[in-house]
Amino acid sequence: MAARRHIADAAMPSVTMEGFAVVFHAASGATHLLASPVPEILAAIGPDRGAATPDEIVTRLRADYDMDGEADDDVAAVVAERIAELTASGLVRAA
Amino acid sequence: MRHAIGLKIGPVAFRVGSDWAAPIAALQSLYRDYPAPVGVPDYTVRLEAERPWRRWVRPSVAVRGDYILPEALPLDLAHGVLAAEIGMNLQLALGERRWLLLHASSVERDGRALIMSGESGSGKSTLAAVLATRGWRLMGDEFALIDLATGAARAFPRATSLKNAAIDEMLRHAPEARFGAELTGTPKGRLRHLRPDATAIARMDEPAMPALILFPQYGGAEAAEGMGSAEAFVRLTQASTNYGPLGRAGYDTLTRLVTTVPTVAVDYPDTATAVALVEQLWDAL
């Protein structure tokens, strides 16, 4: 079965403070403090860039950031875990 | 209601009604120098007998208003002023949507505001009251009102609520005539109100841009440590009574506040040390 594609729930205002992204989620009214690499993953599947599978997210992250020395499988595993958490919190949904 | 008073404190107008004369007379005395409110009050507070016969038999005051906490316990009639204060705080804390409310005291100097946030017992009220005797303008001892559009702090200079040792401390700084009656045996211990000085009342409609945020903590050795924006943000969301209901406006206001205003955590063993520390931090801005 093909991996599911996910997309950020909406464009969310974000302010960076000491490495944390303080993000406001309008649909729930909740504020989230996100630590790296979650803000980067969220940006990679923002409404402007469209839904993506974990493998596609890894490709986008490699284009956005210098990730030499990180194995694809390791990054994909982290992405899959964070996507599951983001989906549970409502910030990301399956497309 | 049988007895009532209108109060205007900063930009907020209250009407306090009571089944008894005594709490209203005490409020009249505490707020005698304040301008009379004009128009419809923003909030109504009612001090009612818990049961009809409790107006006379062991009178106890139930605090009512547009917003109520169902588990709030009635107070002894002798503590009627405290009941009014609790009622006014509650209406503002639960109902206010015009400003971001921070549980904090605030003072102003040279047009800029110092905001001090902390739990009950941190000394934020006493510090603000003492600073007000040293050339600062008292803006408030309980709530700082942050304007959603401009980020400026609005003053809410209600009578300062002093508890226990803070009463004796303030008697060394302010004349007896500015104090209300002492309430003993309240749920907060010994309590006495201090009327804000003439400057605080005359200038209560003047906002001031926040220039420094402090988190004072009474009891430890003297220390001052800069606090990151993220920690300040989290602590101020907890210190705000209406961050959640304000939604995006609260988020925008608070993120702007913590990313533009320096924040320092201050530990102090006594008020004199705290005052010296505050003035040192302020002068270094």
Side-chain angles (χ1 to χ4, degrees), chain B residues 77-261:
Chain B
L77 177 57
H79 305 151
V81 180
L82 176 60
E85 174 188 310
I86 290 171
M88 287 155 69
N89 286 349
L90 198 65
Q91 299 313 304
L92 198 62
L94 299 179
E96 192 51 64
R97 299 290 182 270
R98 291 171 288 179
W99 303 280
L100 177 71
L101 247 72
L102 300 176
H103 191 216
S105 67
S106 53
V107 290
E108 176 261 356
R109 182 181 258 181
D110 303 327
R112 298 187 300 166
L114 162 65
I115 292 172
M116 296 178 281
S117 179
E119 302 284 320
S120 189
S122 65
K124 64 182 189 306
S125 293
T126 312
L127 257 176
V130 172
L131 288 168
T133 65
R134 296 174 54 89
W136 298 71
R137 167 170 65 111
L138 178 77
M139 294 184 76
D141 80 315
E142 182 76 11
F143 289 121
L145 282 42
I146 308 297
D147 191 290
L148 301 176
T150 66
R154 295 293 308 256
F156 182 68
R158 55 159 217 180
T160 299
S161 186
L162 298 167
K163 287 139 210 152
N164 304 310
I167 301 170
D168 309 312
E169 171 74 35
M170 274 318 294
L171 280 166
R172 288 196 282 274
H173 298 276
E176 172 83 25
R178 279 184 47 208
F179 287 81
E182 182 161 307
L183 313 180
T184 51
T186 80
K188 297 176 177 181
R190 203 155 57 89
L191 191 143
R192 205 166 174 191
H193 287 98
L194 175 67
R195 289 189 295 116
D197 58 34
T199 304
I201 298 167
R203 295 177 56 200
M204 69 183 182
D205 288 326
E206 280 179 39
M209 285 306 287
L212 178 64
I213 300 168
L214 295 183
F215 285 93
Q217 186 58 57
Y218 169 73
E222 177 180 345
E225 194 180 346
M227 187 184 287
S229 306
E231 184 181 350
F233 178 84
V234 171
R235 290 180 69 157
L236 289 176
T237 56
Q238 291 161 352
S240 173
T241 60
N242 66 353
Y243 174 78
L246 285 176
R248 176 71 189 268
Y251 168 86
D252 287 341
T253 303
L254 193 54
T255 52
R256 177 175 51 191
L257 182 70
V258 299
T259 54
T260 55
V261 179

Side-chain angles (χ1 to χ4, degrees), chain A residues 8-15 23-26 32 42 47 90-92, chain B residues 248 251:
Chain A
D9 185 51
M12 287 172 257
S14 176
V15 177
V23 170
F24 183 72
H25 182 225
H32 298 261
L42 211 48
L91 298 182
V92 159
Chain B
R248 176 71 189 268
Y251 168 86

